[in-house]
Amino acid sequence: GLLYGGTRQMKMLKKLLAIVLTGAMALTLLTACGSNAVRDKNIADALNDIAKAKGEKVTFTPRAKERELAKAIAALSDEDLKELEESLKNSSLPEKAKEILGINAGGANANNFVWCGATYTDGFGVSGQAIQFMTQVFDGALNMDKLTGKKPADTRYMGTALYKTVDKNGKQVTKRIIVVTAEAK
């Protein structure tokens, strides 16, 4: 009896261990490489939460058009991306990025408000990335000077894309480009 009981307990322990390990592995997929597991919808939800907390009636919705813009920017050369990151600090954009985003006269987004930001993903979950983005674009749209007298619509479309770069310490990091557009009213 004692020996039999021991093996049954051992089987139960093994089952429990298997369940715990499976759970741990699933969690790792969702968190450890957080940057890759995060989707546009997650970022949109976090941005919506921030807007709600601020009492703004704005909604962020993921859309393929904005995702394509983000992918096109993320595909720029390392030098162009570095220039972009520096420009964003001053709420401006290099010409190549303006062309991609279509905010120049005659561009696809010339009559839309456009926000663009680059956030760190390593070690930052969804909320952390959303907060970085909101902090960066706090001053307003990159082309708001061209849309005087107009306000952005409450519906904001967004898309993101990941890119690898090297930080100031020479360490490889993953960053996320976030592009948001809104119709000018």
Side-chain angles (χ1 to χ4, degrees), residues 57-74:
K57 290 180 172 70
V58 202
T59 55
F60 292 87
T61 307
R63 193 166 74 170
K65 194 169 121 186
E66 284 68 19
R67 190 176 317 112
E68 290 309 312
L69 295 175
K71 281 182 179 173
I73 287 184

Side-chain angles (χ1 to χ4, degrees), residues 123-143:
F124 287 96
V126 177
S127 301
Q129 292 176 49
I131 290 166
Q132 284 180 72
F133 175 71
M134 287 300 232
T135 308
Q136 267 181 33
V137 300
F138 183 73
D139 297 337
L142 293 160
N143 58 338

Side-chain angles (χ1 to χ4, degrees), residues 47-61 134 151-156 182 185:
L47 292 172
N48 286 327
D49 288 345
I50 293 170
K52 197 184 290 178
K54 286 182 164 183
E56 294 177 26
K57 290 180 172 70
V58 202
T59 55
F60 292 87
T61 307
M134 287 300 232
K151 290 170 96 168
D154 287 342
T155 302
R156 313 275 162 96
K185 296 196 168 205

Side-chain angles (χ1 to χ4, degrees), residues 52-185:
K52 197 184 290 178
K54 286 182 164 183
E56 294 177 26
K57 290 180 172 70
V58 202
T59 55
F60 292 87
T61 307
R63 193 166 74 170
K65 194 169 121 186
E66 284 68 19
R67 190 176 317 112
E68 290 309 312
L69 295 175
K71 281 182 179 173
I73 287 184
L76 288 168
S77 72
D78 285 349
E79 289 147 35
D80 288 337
L81 285 166
K82 288 266 184 268
E83 185 186 349
L84 171 81
E85 288 175 27
E86 279 307 308
S87 300
L88 287 173
K89 288 176 188 168
N90 309 315
S91 297
S92 69
L93 275 180
E95 278 309 306
K96 277 186 183 174
K98 283 182 185 174
E99 284 171 31
I100 291 170
L101 293 173
I103 59 176
N104 289 332
N109 282 312
N111 299 318
N112 294 327
F113 284 86
V114 178
W115 296 264
C116 179
T119 66
Y120 282 97
T121 59
D122 305 323
F124 287 96
V126 177
S127 301
Q129 292 176 49
I131 290 166
Q132 284 180 72
F133 175 71
M134 287 300 232
T135 308
Q136 267 181 33
V137 300
F138 183 73
D139 297 337
L142 293 160
N143 58 338
M144 61 193 252
D145 56 324
K146 293 186 178 111
L147 301 167
T148 46
K150 296 191 175 198
K151 290 170 96 168
D154 287 342
T155 302
R156 313 275 162 96
Y157 295 102
M158 52 82 62
T160 78
L162 297 173
Y163 67 98
K164 297 233 181 274
T165 187
V166 176
D167 69 8
K168 58 183 178 268
N169 304 321
K171 183 179 167 241
Q172 188 164 19
V173 292
T174 304
K175 285 188 138 184
R176 178 183 303 275
I177 285 286
I178 301 176
V179 173
V180 174
T181 67
E183 203 177 297
K185 296 196 168 205

